[in-house]
Amino acid sequence: MEDYRQTKGRIFDIQKFSIHDGDGIRTIVFLKGCVLRCRWCCNPESQEYGIQTMTAAGEKKVVGRDVTVEEVMKTVGQDRPYYYRSGGGLTLSGGESLCQPEFARDLLRAAKENGINTAMESMACAEFKVIDKILPYLDHYLLDIKHMDPAKHKEFTGRSNELMLENAKKIAESGKCRLSIRIPVIPTFNDTEEEIRAIAEYAKELTGTEKIHLLPYHRLGQDKYEGLGREYMMKEILPPPAERMERLLKTARSASGLSCQIGG
């Protein structure tokens, strides 16, 4: 029988001691590859599955490396005491983890079998049968919902949103893991009260949704585009002011009746 710990995948970073993307202190494994091309993406080096060269701080840097589940878990397991004390664990991010479904599944399985809490940040942009094979090993699904309008979603991300919204319902109905909704708040895309209200009302109907996170747009990844020889499409866009974020937070709370927060 094949040892799942030898399943290979492609990552571009492992970030330790994170207090975002799940509860407690976490180790985030960033997987290569994504089906979307969000204009504001802060990890453009994640989008292509291929290994790339990026200029950073004037030096060439190789982005992407092939690893086994066993190799990644050696790093993840180093901080087990911090996970136990804080309620943290492993989070998969990207890119979109579902672009490497076997690797994602087996990473989560290895963590679970080692008593480590698991989370995954994902847009659920895959066939549900792919997602369903991952859910048994997932404690917390951090599900991105960016917009309710299919046309506007496609304009800003390159793909429509029907599949993702359909999968959100199926994930919620499965009851197999905790579910939180994450909304990147992007000026010119979805930063009006009407747009946030529409997403919050949808989240309210998703069985068992715990929380909504509003994630304010930032430009921290802008230099990466230049390093990859790409144009940054949002260079004229400023982050939303704190007052607007507070107003949108109130809107999300009143529309959903759920626990809502800025960041996380």
Side-chain angles (χ1 to χ4, degrees):
M1 187 174 180
E2 189 174 347
D3 183 358
Y4 77 90
R5 292 170 296 183
Q6 299 309 311
T7 300
K8 291 184 177 180
R10 184 166 291 173
I11 66 173
F12 67 94
D13 197 12
I14 298 179
Q15 180 180 313
K16 301 174 73 174
F17 301 109
S18 175
I19 55 171
H20 304 290
D21 301 314
D23 300 327
I25 296 172
R26 310 195 70 83
T27 297
I28 305 177
V29 179
F30 292 88
L31 278 64
K32 267 281 218 172
C34 188
V35 293
L36 301 189
R37 293 295 181 266
C38 301
R39 293 183 184 179
W40 61 88
C41 180
C42 62
N43 290 327
E45 73 275 35
S46 75
Q47 294 177 352
E48 294 292 338
Y49 176 74
I51 294 174
Q52 298 167 283
T53 301
M54 180 172 71
T55 302
E59 296 186 0
K60 296 287 187 182
K61 172 186 176 184
V62 175
V63 181
R65 59 190 174 99
D66 294 330
V67 293
T68 65
V69 167
E70 186 174 49
E71 288 170 336
V72 174
M73 288 308 300
K74 284 179 182 176
T75 301
V76 173
Q78 291 170 358
D79 296 322
R80 191 191 307 266
Y82 297 103
Y83 308 148
Y84 289 162
R85 285 198 287 267
S86 68
L90 166 69
T91 298
L92 301 188
S93 188
E96 167 57 75
S97 302
L98 297 175
C99 289
Q100 299 186 56
E102 292 83 10
F103 183 58
R105 178 200 63 207
D106 290 350
L107 270 176
L108 296 170
R109 176 181 173 183
K112 290 293 289 179
E113 291 185 358
N114 282 275
I116 297 173
N117 177 274
T118 60
M120 181 172 73
E121 182 188 17
S122 164
M123 297 160 292
C125 192
E127 292 185 32
F128 183 71
K129 65 181 181 181
V130 171
I131 299 171
D132 200 35
K133 292 178 181 177
I134 290 174
L135 294 180
Y137 307 110
L138 188 60
D139 291 312
H140 194 179
Y141 207 126
L142 305 167
L143 178 61
D144 280 11
I145 296 183
K146 308 177 195 301
H147 210 287
M148 295 304 297
D149 184 309
K152 196 167 187 182
H153 193 281
K154 185 173 183 178
E155 178 188 354
F156 277 77
T157 73
R159 293 277 293 258
S160 190
N161 62 357
E162 290 96 340
L163 176 62
M164 304 169 212
L165 296 178
E166 178 185 328
N167 282 337
K169 288 183 179 179
K170 291 178 179 178
I171 293 164
E173 289 167 359
S174 77
K176 292 179 180 178
C177 61
R178 296 167 56 201
L179 178 62
S180 295
I181 302 304
R182 293 155 67 89
I183 308 171
V185 178
I186 313 297
T188 72
F189 173 57
N190 67 355
D191 66 331
T192 67
E193 291 184 51
E194 292 74 19
E195 288 164 315
I196 295 300
R197 181 180 297 110
I199 300 173
E201 288 174 347
Y202 188 80
K204 180 181 180 180
E205 300 305 314
L206 298 176
T207 307
T209 302
E210 290 188 356
K211 188 173 287 190
I212 294 176
H213 299 255
L214 300 180
L215 309 179
Y217 165 73
H218 60 75
R219 297 194 292 190
L220 298 179
Q222 183 171 349
D223 290 345
K224 295 180 181 180
Y225 286 81
E226 184 176 346
L228 290 167
R230 292 176 53 186
E231 181 185 1
Y232 184 60
M233 302 278 288
M234 307 283 286
K235 55 181 173 288
E236 307 300 328
I237 304 300
L238 297 176
E243 317 87 73
R244 184 183 302 170
M245 290 301 303
E246 288 296 333
R247 193 164 64 248
L248 297 177
L249 180 65
K250 290 179 181 177
T251 298
R253 281 175 176 159
S254 62
S256 69
L258 298 169
S259 173
C260 300
Q261 68 182 60
I262 297 172

